[in-house]
Amino acid sequence: RAGRGRVMDITEQLTHESRIALAAAAEITRLRAEVEALRTALSDVQGARAKVREISARFGFDLDPDALIEDLPVGVQQRVEIIKALSQNARVLVFDEPTVGVDPQSRNAIFDNLEVLRDRGKALMYTTHYMEEAERLCDRIVIVDHGRVVANDELGALLRHARSGERLEIDVGQTVDCTPLLALPGVLEATESNGVLAVKLQSLASDMAPVLAWCNAKGLAIRHINSVRANLEDVFLALTGRQLRDHA
C-alpha cells in the first residue's frame, strides 16, 4: 500500500510538470504567432507604401504614403482616389465629377490618368456636367434630364439621331437675307448676324458646296469660312432644351 502511494505521488508530479510544459509550449506558440502576424502586418504596410509610390510615380507625381488626405490639394486628392482604386486592382471604377474645383493642370493630369486606365481595359463610369469631358473619355453616353434618361448611345449615333448637324460660318461682311438658303438640300437652319452667315447642315461634306455656290450667285464676297462640327453640348441642348434651369 505504501509503495502504491509513492507511485501515485510520482505520477501526480509528472502530470503537473507536463501540464506546465504544455502551457509553456502553448504560450510560446501564441507568442510566435503574434510575432509572425506583426511581421506580416509590417510587411503589408511597407508593401502598401511601396505600391503607393510606384503607382503615383506611374501617374506623374510624387505622393507621400504617410500624408493625410485632408492636407492635400483638391486636385491631388482626386488623383489619390484613382491610386486607391488601383491599389485594389479594381476592374470597374466610378467617378462622380472628379474635376470639379480643380485647377486646369490637375484637371488635365486627372484626365491623362483616366485615359491610361481606360486603355488598360478598366471599365469607367463617369458622371459630369462638362460635355467635352464625356466626349473625350466615354465610349457610350447616357444623358439624364430631370431624372429621366433621354439618350443612351455612342457619340456618333447621338449626333446623328439628335440632328444637331454641322455648322458652316461664312463671313460676307454685310447684311443678307438668308431665308432662300433653307430651300437648299441639307440646310437645317440659316441665320445672319453682323455680316456672318451661320448655316447648319446635315453634312458639311455633301451640303457645303451648294451654299457656297448660292453665295457666289448672290455676288457676296466671302472673307472667311469656318466649319464647326456638332458636339455633345449641341446634342444635350437639342434633347433637353435651352431654357435656364435656375429652379433645379
Side-chain angles (χ1 to χ4, degrees):
R1 292 179 182 176
R4 288 179 183 176
R6 286 194 295 272
V7 171
M8 289 180 66
D9 289 342
I10 294 172
T11 302
E12 290 175 358
Q13 182 177 357
L14 290 174
T15 301
H16 181 65
E17 292 176 352
S18 297
R19 287 174 180 171
I20 294 176
L22 289 173
E27 181 66 13
I28 291 172
T29 301
R30 185 185 67 80
L31 290 173
R32 283 177 176 172
E34 289 186 359
V35 169
E36 188 60 31
L38 288 173
R39 285 177 178 172
T40 301
L42 181 59
S43 176
D44 289 343
V45 169
Q46 292 173 338
R49 285 174 173 162
K51 196 164 190 176
V52 167
R53 289 192 178 95
E54 183 267 326
I55 295 175
S56 62
R58 187 193 311 166
F59 286 104
F61 70 112
D62 184 23
L63 178 64
D64 179 4
D66 297 317
L68 296 177
I69 294 295
E70 56 267 27
D71 293 338
L72 299 174
V74 175
V76 176
Q77 289 184 27
Q78 300 288 36
R79 297 166 78 181
V80 168
E81 292 302 316
I82 298 176
I83 289 178
K84 286 167 61 178
L86 285 178
S87 66
Q88 301 299 320
N89 197 30
R91 297 173 60 185
V92 179
L93 307 177
V94 180
F95 296 95
D96 183 17
E97 302 192 77
T99 60
V100 170
V102 304
D103 57 80
Q105 291 84 356
S106 294
R107 183 187 183 202
N108 190 65
I110 290 171
F111 244 83
D112 287 344
N113 298 163
L114 293 177
E115 288 178 323
V116 169
L117 293 175
R118 180 196 60 193
D119 295 342
R120 289 180 179 174
K122 302 291 185 182
L124 308 182
M125 294 183 62
Y126 191 90
T127 64
T128 182
H129 283 88
Y130 302 127
M131 299 296 105
E132 69 276 10
E133 290 188 354
E135 276 195 78
R136 176 177 170 182
L137 183 66
C138 301
D139 299 315
R140 191 172 191 87
I141 297 169
V142 177
I143 296 177
V144 179
D145 184 41
H146 289 297
R148 183 173 62 92
V149 175
V150 296
N152 180 359
D153 214 328
E154 296 179 355
L155 177 61
L158 288 177
L159 292 174
R160 292 191 298 271
H161 293 168
R163 294 182 61 83
S164 52
E166 298 174 307
R167 192 165 65 252
L168 184 66
E169 297 174 348
I170 309 171
D171 184 357
V172 294
Q174 64 183 78
T175 301
V176 180
D177 178 14
C178 55
T179 304
L181 282 171
L182 297 174
L184 297 179
V187 175
L188 302 176
E189 296 178 10
T191 58
E192 181 273 328
S193 176
N194 297 321
V196 177
L197 301 176
V199 186
K200 184 176 289 187
L201 305 172
Q202 288 182 342
S203 170
L204 280 171
S206 60
D207 303 329
M208 181 172 62
V211 173
L212 297 180
W214 180 87
C215 292
N216 184 57
K218 293 282 292 184
L220 301 175
I222 298 176
R223 302 193 299 186
H224 180 74
I225 297 177
N226 183 41
S227 61
V228 182
R229 183 182 71 87
N231 56 32
L232 190 58
E233 184 169 325
D234 296 323
V235 174
F236 183 88
L237 292 175
L239 291 172
T240 64
R242 295 177 176 272
Q243 184 177 358
L244 294 177
R245 305 295 180 87
D246 292 340
H247 61 281

